[in-house]
Amino acid sequence: MSGNRRSRLDASSHHAIDESSIRYDGWRIVAVCFVVATFGWAFGFYGQSVYLAELHRQHGWSASLISTATTFFYLFGALLVIFVAETIKKFGPRNCLLAGTVAMAAAIVLMGQVDAPWQLYLADIALSFGWAGTSLAMISTTLGLWFDQKRGMAISLALNGASFGGVAGVPLLVMAIGQFGFSRALMLAGAVMVVLVIPIVLIFVGPPPLRASAGSSSTGDAPSSSLIRARAFRDIGFLSVSTAFALVLFAQVGFIVHLIAFLDPVIGRSSAAVAIAMLTAMAVVGRVLFSTVIDRLNQRLASALSFVSQALALAVVINSRNETLLIAACAVFGFSVGNLITLPSLIVQREFDARSFGVLISLLTAITQVTYAFGPGVIGALRDLSGSYTLPFYGCIALELAAAVLIMLRRKSA
């Protein structure tokens, strides 16, 4: 009895803390997650486009061979991502972030040493562990331990690091490869990640506040993780969100991974890097603008409009050979890239039990990752079969439009 009273008192006292206050400890965690996301997306997501182009250039391997390894990376990573919430609960956010950082740094060093296809798969296994420990599920679940009322804003701000990883990471990686070579550049990148990220995590990430513990793990009637997953697969609201974003991310990831390879012969490697940078810069702009109003919008409708805008941008990319127009189309496509990473978390937070947030985000991330894992491989195979990127990119347009319809399906009680 006294234990229950103590839990209620602890929870109520924590609720007195103003999450909007600049002095709230949670904002330090947002800053840490921003840095983690910067490296995670630079090397684990946007870096795939650089690895594909460089390995093709060095070894002459086909686009389908390399992108199939990328598919393996996402599939294996999805098996890890689904258990992120339980891992954080068992080992704590700081240990999980440290493990993800070390795994990512080791993986990119291994990637630079690849000279046979089987070694590429080995590097991708290590990269999968790094991606699981530095990407969406890890960051969203970690911030969910510190934030309730301001969770949407916190996740949006932290995930700007994902876009910054593309804006700064890809051009710097391309420049470093040109200056030092592929292997040495990736060794340098891994060293920089370890030196910068590990001290930040050690210094600023401590135990989560009591409210999070009371709200997520100490509540007696909280459903188990397995029950939450079972219910999710029978819920039309969850299925519509996971299916729609799985289709869109299939198209988005496949397009981005192949973007440099597509643009290189059309406008040159340097301009292709500018297009990637513009795409990711607009992702930052789009996410920042949305973060100020997203809690007041119909988030499903905002998602549908984002899907349609990407489809229109893809149509321009397919049919234009003008450098300025191509870069502008990449910018339009990029305006929604950041929001499509953030919106699933915000929809889940709005429509589902707060106690289920971490498990549902990990599950949704795993589902979408399993699906978009095939994006690079399928697009690479279609490109090799058809001789150009026209057919696979038109397929991406069809998926974007189908997702715009699916995302509007929701349960009546949501």
Side-chain angles (χ1 to χ4, degrees), residues 328-374:
C330 289
V332 172
F333 187 95
F335 187 82
S336 298
V337 166
N339 292 318
L340 298 191
I341 298 172
T342 307
L343 278 165
S345 301
L346 303 185
I347 293 173
V348 167
Q349 175 182 275
R350 173 175 288 184
E351 298 185 5
F352 297 89
D353 189 335
R355 297 169 301 175
S356 305
F357 180 78
V359 174
L360 288 179
I361 286 301
S362 296
L363 178 60
L364 192 152
T365 303
I367 291 171
T368 56
Q369 189 163 314
V370 165
T371 306
Y372 72 63
F374 293 96

Side-chain angles (χ1 to χ4, degrees), residues 19 41 52 85 90 94 100 106 109 145 171 185 190 202 208 224 242 263 270 273 282 286 309 314 364 368 387 392:
E19 291 182 5
W41 262 266
L52 188 151
K90 182 174 182 179
R94 179 164 68 172
V109 172
L145 298 176
L202 287 173
S224 67
S242 57
L263 292 177
S270 297
M282 289 302 294
S309 72
L314 276 168
L364 192 152
T368 56

Side-chain angles (χ1 to χ4, degrees), residues 2 6-7 33 62-63 109 130 133 157 194 198 212 215 219 244 288 302 349 378 404 412:
S2 61
R6 182 177 302 165
S7 295
C33 288
S62 68
V109 172
L157 293 175
V194 168
I198 287 183
T219 303
V288 170
Q349 175 182 275
V378 170
K412 292 182 180 180

Side-chain angles (χ1 to χ4, degrees), residues 238-250 300 303 307 368 399-400 402-408:
F238 179 82
L239 292 176
S240 65
V241 172
S242 57
T243 303
F245 280 95
L247 294 177
V248 167
L249 291 174
F250 178 100
R300 286 180 179 265
S303 300
F307 302 164
T368 56
L399 294 178
E400 296 267 8
V405 176
L406 285 172
I407 193 63
M408 299 308 297

Side-chain angles (χ1 to χ4, degrees), residues 133-276:
T134 59
S135 58
L136 178 62
M138 177 64 67
I139 289 171
S140 296
T141 305
T142 296
L143 292 175
L145 298 176
W146 271 267
F147 288 92
D148 184 11
Q149 293 86 2
K150 295 294 182 179
R151 184 181 296 171
M153 178 178 288
I155 292 173
S156 295
L157 293 175
L159 289 179
N160 277 323
S163 301
F164 186 70
V167 173
V170 171
L172 287 174
L173 196 55
V174 170
M175 289 172 56
I177 291 170
Q179 182 71 28
F180 304 108
F182 187 55
S183 177
R184 290 184 179 179
L186 292 191
M187 290 180 65
L188 178 62
V192 170
M193 183 175 185
V194 168
V195 169
L196 290 182
V197 178
I198 287 183
I200 291 174
V201 174
L202 287 173
I203 293 171
F204 294 110
V205 180
L210 293 175
R211 173 190 55 77
S213 300
S216 62
S217 60
S218 299
T219 303
D221 61 347
S224 67
S225 297
S226 58
L227 181 58
I228 291 171
R229 296 189 189 105
R231 289 175 176 173
F233 283 116
R234 298 192 299 269
D235 189 300
I236 187 64
F238 179 82
L239 292 176
S240 65
V241 172
S242 57
T243 303
F245 280 95
L247 294 177
V248 167
L249 291 174
F250 178 100
Q252 180 171 286
V253 171
F255 171 70
I256 292 174
V257 167
H258 286 271
L259 184 55
I260 289 181
F262 171 75
L263 292 177
D264 192 356
V266 179
I267 59 177
R269 175 62 61 89
S270 297
S271 295
V274 171
I276 285 276

Side-chain angles (χ1 to χ4, degrees), residues 244 247-248 250-252 254-255 304 306-319 333 379 382 389-405:
L247 294 177
V248 167
F250 178 100
Q252 180 171 286
F255 171 70
S306 297
F307 302 164
V308 172
S309 72
Q310 288 197 340
L312 295 174
L314 276 168
V316 174
V317 169
I318 295 170
N319 293 287
F333 187 95
I379 289 178
L382 290 175
Y389 280 105
T390 301
L391 175 62
F393 284 0
Y394 270 119
C396 291
I397 291 176
L399 294 178
E400 296 267 8
L401 296 178
V405 176

